[in-house]
Amino acid sequence: MTLEEAKRYLLRRAKELGLEAEVLFQEERELSLRARQGTLEEIKEARQGGVGLRVVVQGRMGYAYTEELSLEALEWALSEARDNALLAGKEGHISTGQALGSHDLLGEGLSAPLDTKKQSALELERALWEDPRSKSVLMGGYMEKEVRVALASTRGAEGAYRTGLAGMGGSLVMADGPSLKQGWDFKLAKEFHLLDPGRTALEIREKTARLLNARPLPTGRYRAYLEPKAMAGLLLVLSRSLSGKSALEGKSRLLNRLGERIASEWVTLVDDPTLEKGLLSRPFDAEGTPARRTVVVEKGVFKTFLHNSETAKALGQENTGHAFRTYRGVMDVAPTNLYLEPVGNLSLEKGVLVTEFMGLHAGANPVSLDFSLQALGLWVEEGEVRYAVENFAVAGNLLDLLQAIEAVGGELDWEVMGAAFGSPMVAVAELSFAGV
Amino acid sequence: MLSPDLVESLLRQALKGGADFAEIYAERSRRRRMTVRAGRMEEAISGLDYGAGLRLFFGTEVVYAYTNQLTPEGLLEALETLLRAKGGLGQVDERGAGGLDFRKALPRGLHAPSTPYGEKDKRYRLERLLEAEAGARISPEIKQVEASLQEWEQEVLIANTEGTWAEEKRVRTRLFVLAVAQEGTEVQTGYAAPGKSVGLELFDLYPPQEVGARAARQALTNLRAKPAPAGTMPVVVGNAFGGVIFHEALGHLLETTSVAKKASVLADKLGEEVASPVVTYVDDGTLPHAWGSTEVDDEGRPTERTVLIEKGVLKAYMVDRLGHLLTGYPMTGSGRRQDYTFAPTSRMRNTFIAPGDKEVEDLIASVEFGLYAKELGGGQVKPGSGEYNFAVQEGYIIRHGRIEEPVRGAMLVGKGPETIRRVVAVAKDWENAPGMCGSLSGMVPVEVGQPHVLVSEIVVGGRA
């Protein structure tokens, strides 16, 4: 059965069974080309898809999904979703929907011939070796993903869109005498031709080489400059607390703090799913709410959580259209393109420039917002990089850090970690560093 | 899932297309997740994953495709896509002409559940989750509790052009409890999550109330804990999940994924002393019902017990098929993948430091001032430089040989090969614990483990 046939079948059967139902389809095409020592060590080409189902029975919600599209599997999904709903103790509803149209956010972005993409992957890997200090290249290559999403419900929602991303990047180990550093980066774009393998490789080499011959950092409190990659990681942790769902579940420290100053005046945080070249832009969310720009923090003042219809209703706020679901998951809330607005008042003086945080998933607690993270960095003095520093950790609380931001750079850089997180460089008055 | 005729015809066509080796991995998995919060079922989801991955080797070049269309047409299309991507479509290689003689390895049920899926209904599961939630309500400071159950029943078929035909049904069950403690504006969390390759007998092995209480006690400990001190000091690392430090700092460095590319600081060191002589380090995929155990790996080879380091000396690496082709080291049944969307690579299974001869009390007593890292969270490593980090989920100060006040927010950082040389004592109380490990071939279930271990110095990241 095709996805289209599965959709019609599920909606028809749901009506026959007296259920309200919403069906989410996703179909993905993936291409990845991994180069090693001048040949393509792995070529991956694949398709994957499935249907996710939410049904409401007696005012309660249940979920199921299937990747197998046989009649038997669809019937199994319907009955599992219904059983799960009957077990649920919480009320739920499917919003009244509307015709949302069919959108193409990808266009010809990935249309280059396969051979051109192969050449780019090989070129990037070759260019990673173009430094006598390159000791081994773990991986260099190209990947692209094209996604088609469609939504339909018994309550009138109907819409579809197609989007996608292309990316190039790699990972290498560089050595200078006994000093070893492993670096990586991955650049993403909406279109293949916006990627530049030579330049990406050069950036990865430069970003890795500058960390060689690092010295230990004495334990102490220093001014910190966070590069966009490091700050984007912290925004990812913060985004869990910005979720209306976390707030409802008692897992956000920002609950009851709307209208309060939670960050310095230099901090304006925006989520914008409508950005024209936004890496994760989309025309509507997983419930069919049309996308719009949301200012989450304005000059330090907390304006709104990110919401889906359920969390907005429960907290008595406006729905921001941030319902998030994959066909394999339950309804959640998630940002799309969340970024810290550039200011342009930052200049380097003295302190530690943090290039990257490691171990975010373990060392940063999304509930308490405490963090203690291994970091890589450079010592700067009189506006200049003096030497690299290593073997240290940075600790604090994210809300304190946001309050201590005293300058924000002028140029946005993006990282995709589930959602797209954008940030310029940020200067933090003081952070606690643990070293020797 | 797939008929031998269909599998044989696809594999032969892959050989005709010029491949030296071809493999099919097909999977049908049922997953369930239920979450209880505030005394009621909040969310329940059931799912069916269904797909196949086709992998072809041309020398050491690999092409991989996956699809959810497990019909002859769907699989053939995936194969043709691969041959087109490789540039070999339309080629005829005579090696594909002969028949394949599959040696069928019947599943032995080594890790089969004693309480299978269908035996208990969903209400039984809900009741156990409510018990876990109630078990966590041990104090008014516990403001939120979330208990969830994850069940995963995965059927796999792996066949290849060398005649391998392996089938296995893998059942895994895990209970998660998260407790949030709050006093004033201070918020801290505690966590417990036992899991095994078993069915619902998990609840008998780990009574839900006790699991809930364990999470809650940890949240309360953290609520009254002071920020950890910062600096370099001796650390006693707790048993069971404490083993995650060496999973990161040592285990990942011994996978051929990085060893074959000389991208591990432990490449080319077989026979050398790479760790303190008190350290024996084992990766064992055969432990009965362990979270990371399987009968066959995801390349269809029987899993093994692999002694990686014996008394400090490097004895073996973890080797998958590609790693074997690149290095010549014998395969160790270590090819693993998250699911059909990933090609396998060499991965850990259940990896632990073997028990030593010391008492835990002696380890603590020998520390004048240091950290007792009782429970650890997760961590990360860069194999090329050996730099690792991991978070302490529950920690205490050791002063004059005694465990004293709790501290929070400690992050241990260092370089793996240095840390493993600084292990000065290993206790007797060996235990393993489950976790999920992310790498090139996705997230796979693993166990980590060890007895209590004393490391002479580690950088502890706390508040300066």
Side-chain angles (χ1 to χ4, degrees):
Chain A
M1 204 181 290
T2 64
L3 280 171
E4 188 56 37
E5 288 163 351
K7 172 176 89 176
R8 282 200 300 269
Y9 180 82
L10 286 169
L11 292 180
R12 178 169 62 75
R13 283 288 290 147
K15 279 179 187 153
E16 283 170 15
L17 297 165
L19 307 171
E20 295 288 4
E22 181 187 78
V23 193
L24 180 78
F25 306 83
Q26 262 166 304
E27 218 175 358
E28 279 188 12
R29 182 187 61 77
E30 178 190 352
L31 169 70
S32 92
L33 305 164
R34 234 164 54 202
R36 181 176 162 271
Q37 292 182 340
T39 59
L40 288 173
E41 68 165 351
E42 188 186 291
I43 300 174
K44 187 165 164 181
E45 241 201 289
R47 282 173 193 282
Q48 185 186 20
V51 302
L53 184 64
R54 305 203 286 162
V55 304
V56 175
V57 191
Q58 296 167 15
R60 298 170 202 292
M61 182 86 73
Y63 293 85
Y65 72 86
T66 177
E67 293 179 339
E68 184 181 335
L69 299 183
S70 62
L71 277 186
E72 187 196 346
L74 295 178
E75 284 292 335
W76 175 84
L78 272 165
S79 85
E80 282 286 319
R82 192 164 64 157
D83 281 0
N84 288 338
L86 289 169
L87 201 67
K90 194 176 80 165
E91 294 199 344
H93 73 282
I94 289 170
S95 311
T96 311
Q98 53 180 300
L100 297 156
S102 184
H103 308 258
D104 186 359
L105 277 60
L106 184 60
E108 298 297 305
L110 304 178
S111 63
L114 179 62
D115 267 336
T116 314
K117 292 168 184 167
K118 283 185 181 175
Q119 288 314 315
S120 293
L122 292 167
E123 191 185 330
L124 182 121
E125 201 255 352
R126 190 166 55 236
L128 285 175
W129 286 104
E130 280 171 9
D131 186 306
R133 293 168 296 181
S134 296
K135 188 169 164 274
S136 70
V137 172
L138 285 81
M139 186 195 76
Y142 171 78
M143 69 73 88
E144 68 183 30
K145 218 167 222 188
E146 180 182 332
V147 189
R148 202 174 69 83
V149 179
L151 184 76
S153 78
T154 53
R155 304 211 56 199
E158 177 84 57
Y161 63 92
R162 171 178 172 265
T163 183
L165 279 179
M168 296 211 76
S171 168
L172 90 170
V173 178
M174 294 180 96
D176 190 0
S179 174
L180 284 176
K181 285 290 164 190
Q182 182 174 344
W184 66 278
D185 206 0
F186 209 80
K187 295 279 176 209
L188 290 165
K190 294 293 293 179
E191 294 171 40
F192 170 75
H193 72 88
L194 295 175
L195 298 170
D196 182 339
R199 189 177 158 163
T200 299
L202 177 68
E203 276 178 29
I204 295 173
R205 274 167 21 219
E206 284 178 353
K207 283 185 171 175
T208 309
R210 67 187 175 154
L211 297 169
L212 286 165
N213 300 308
R215 305 180 194 176
L217 179 75
T219 296
R221 301 182 68 87
Y222 306 104
R223 171 174 294 158
Y225 301 96
L226 309 180
E227 283 201 339
K229 188 190 277 292
M231 189 62 199
L234 297 182
L235 289 179
L236 163 68
V237 177
L238 180 70
S239 70
R240 301 270 296 273
S241 287
L242 298 174
S243 150
K245 193 171 182 193
S246 298
L248 260 187
E249 293 170 0
K251 293 192 288 194
S252 171
R253 291 193 76 160
L254 295 175
L255 189 60
N256 302 324
R257 298 196 60 182
L258 279 176
E260 279 182 39
R261 180 176 290 282
I262 60 157
S264 87
E265 59 179 321
W266 303 112
V267 175
T268 293
L269 270 179
V270 178
D271 187 78
D272 192 352
T274 68
L275 281 182
E276 198 190 340
K277 295 283 174 196
L279 294 171
L280 292 178
S281 291
R282 50 164 172 68
F284 52 86
D285 73 0
E287 288 179 302
T289 306
R292 64 178 168 84
R293 181 175 187 269
T294 304
V295 178
V296 184
V297 175
E298 190 170 21
K299 297 194 162 122
V301 178
F302 183 38
K303 293 291 189 186
T304 180
F305 285 103
L306 300 177
H307 283 301
N308 62 30
S309 67
E310 182 197 323
T311 66
K313 190 172 162 210
L315 289 176
Q317 293 167 23
E318 201 182 336
N319 181 6
T320 58
H322 285 91
F324 175 82
R325 180 161 77 105
T326 67
Y327 67 84
R328 289 173 163 209
V330 298
M331 189 58 76
D332 203 344
V333 167
T336 58
N337 307 302
L338 181 71
Y339 65 96
L340 178 64
E341 272 195 349
V343 178
N345 65 338
L346 185 144
S347 60
L348 286 182
E349 287 159 39
K350 181 178 173 180
V352 182
L353 189 149
V354 175
T355 60
E356 182 185 341
F357 286 120
M358 287 173 66
L360 271 174
H361 65 291
N365 186 319
V367 180
S368 67
L369 295 178
D370 283 342
F371 64 88
S372 181
L373 297 165
Q374 182 179 12
L376 301 172
L378 305 163
W379 179 257
V380 291
E381 227 171 299
E382 293 168 356
E384 278 173 30
V385 172
R386 290 293 162 86
Y387 49 85
V389 284
E390 67 177 4
N391 252 11
F392 65 91
V394 190
N397 185 278
L398 200 42
L399 293 177
D400 298 337
L401 182 145
L402 290 175
Q403 293 280 9
I405 288 178
E406 49 180 23
V408 175
E411 247 175 275
L412 261 185
D413 215 345
W414 293 89
E415 293 285 322
V416 173
M417 295 168 286
F421 296 92
S423 179
M425 190 187 281
V426 164
V428 183
E430 199 179 60
L431 277 180
S432 173
F433 289 81
V436 289
Chain B
M1 254 174 288
L2 300 175
S3 76
D5 286 349
L6 172 59
V7 169
E8 181 177 342
S9 119
L10 280 162
L11 292 177
R12 286 179 53 194
Q13 287 188 59
L15 293 181
K16 277 187 197 164
D20 301 312
F21 171 85
E23 167 197 85
I24 289 182
Y25 169 95
E27 168 180 4
R28 180 189 263 123
S29 292
R30 281 197 289 169
R31 292 172 192 267
R32 282 203 184 119
R33 187 179 175 116
M34 295 178 176
T35 302
V36 157
R37 210 179 287 123
R40 64 188 191 187
M41 178 73 76
E42 288 256 312
E43 278 157 354
I45 183 164
S46 313
L48 186 67
D49 297 347
Y50 182 64
L54 268 170
R55 184 166 66 142
L56 275 52
F57 278 71
F58 296 82
T60 57
E61 292 176 42
V62 174
V63 292
Y64 191 73
Y66 58 83
T67 177
N68 307 110
Q69 304 294 323
L70 270 64
T71 55
E73 301 75 36
L75 289 166
L76 188 65
E77 191 191 321
L79 178 66
E80 286 180 352
T81 304
L82 276 187
L83 292 172
R84 198 175 300 119
K86 174 64 192 163
L89 188 63
Q91 191 176 330
V92 179
D93 189 318
E94 284 310 312
R95 285 177 298 178
L100 288 168
D101 184 14
F102 289 121
R103 296 179 306 278
K104 289 198 178 179
L106 291 175
R108 288 179 293 163
L110 294 179
H111 313 289
S114 58
T115 309
Y117 243 45
E119 199 162 292
K120 306 273 187 186
D121 64 10
K122 288 183 178 171
R123 194 147 296 277
Y124 172 82
R125 293 160 164 88
L126 171 59
E127 283 161 10
R128 301 291 83 72
L129 287 174
L130 291 172
E131 283 169 17
E133 199 207 358
R137 303 247 174 226
I138 56 173
S139 141
E141 283 91 41
I142 299 294
K143 301 292 185 194
Q144 294 292 335
V145 183
E146 184 175 288
S148 19
L149 178 68
Q150 271 188 28
E151 295 172 85
W152 180 17
E153 188 187 62
Q154 183 191 39
E155 285 174 80
V156 297
L157 158 67
I158 305 145
N160 69 33
T161 49
E162 287 175 355
T164 293
W165 180 286
E167 291 178 65
E168 185 175 2
K169 186 173 189 173
R170 302 163 176 171
V171 176
R172 291 190 173 95
T173 305
R174 195 169 184 193
L175 169 65
F176 295 80
V177 182
L178 171 75
V180 181
Q182 186 171 8
E183 193 168 30
T185 58
E186 197 56 61
V187 179
Q188 292 295 327
T189 57
Y191 186 67
K196 302 278 273 181
S197 287
V198 297
L200 290 173
E201 65 266 33
L202 184 84
F203 293 129
D204 305 327
L205 300 169
Y206 301 93
Q209 300 96 317
E210 288 174 25
V211 176
R214 190 144 57 89
R217 277 196 301 271
Q218 192 177 73
L220 293 170
T221 300
N222 284 329
L223 193 62
R224 60 188 169 86
K226 296 179 187 154
T232 303
M233 62 189 78
V235 177
V236 174
V237 184
N239 64 350
F241 200 70
V244 72
I245 181 173
F246 297 108
H247 169 99
E248 297 296 343
L250 189 58
H252 277 297
L253 277 52
L254 299 173
E255 295 165 338
T256 45
T257 310
S258 52
V259 168
K261 296 176 186 172
K262 314 285 185 218
S264 162
V265 283
L266 292 177
D268 297 325
K269 291 209 177 335
L270 277 185
E272 290 181 31
E273 189 173 287
V274 297
S276 151
V278 298
V279 173
T280 290
Y281 198 52
V282 180
D283 180 53
D284 190 345
T286 70
L287 292 176
H289 300 287
W291 181 242
S293 289
T294 52
E295 281 188 33
V296 291
D297 73 356
D298 294 322
E299 297 184 325
R301 294 182 66 84
T303 44
E304 296 173 14
R305 175 186 165 91
T306 311
V307 177
L308 300 166
I309 291 174
E310 196 168 11
K311 295 180 177 159
V313 177
L314 183 60
K315 293 290 185 183
Y317 295 105
M318 287 166 273
V319 188
D320 65 332
R321 174 172 291 275
L322 180 63
H324 164 69
L325 290 176
L326 292 171
T327 63
Y329 299 138
M331 284 185 259
T332 55
S334 301
R336 302 191 67 192
R337 51 181 131 197
Q338 176 180 312
D339 54 33
Y340 66 86
T341 65
F342 289 89
T345 182
S346 61
R347 301 289 294 270
M348 283 177 264
R349 301 160 301 203
N350 308 299
T351 321
F352 54 87
I353 292 182
D357 56 2
K358 299 280 188 292
E359 300 296 336
V360 181
E361 298 73 39
D362 298 340
L363 265 54
I364 304 281
S366 68
V367 176
E368 192 49 34
F369 179 83
L371 181 74
Y372 173 35
K374 184 166 187 267
E375 288 271 349
L376 300 181
Q380 194 188 354
V381 67
K382 297 195 167 196
S385 58
E387 289 168 296
Y388 72 82
N389 63 78
F390 63 98
V392 180
Q393 176 71 19
E394 183 178 338
Y396 301 83
I397 290 296
I398 307 175
R399 205 176 277 114
H400 311 305
R402 279 202 308 273
I403 296 171
E404 297 201 337
E405 74 274 16
V407 289
R408 66 174 184 239
M411 169 64 94
L412 306 186
V413 310
K415 292 184 179 174
E418 287 172 12
T419 305
I420 195 69
R421 284 174 189 279
R422 290 182 183 140
V423 173
V424 290
V426 178
K428 295 174 179 170
D429 60 337
W430 173 61
E431 227 179 280
N432 274 5
M436 295 300 290
C437 169
S439 183
L440 217 51
S441 60
M443 298 293 285
V444 299
V446 298
E447 279 192 4
V448 298
Q450 63 178 34
H452 276 75
V453 158
L454 170 61
V455 184
S456 60
E457 56 174 66
I458 302 185
V459 172
V460 176
R463 298 271 177 108

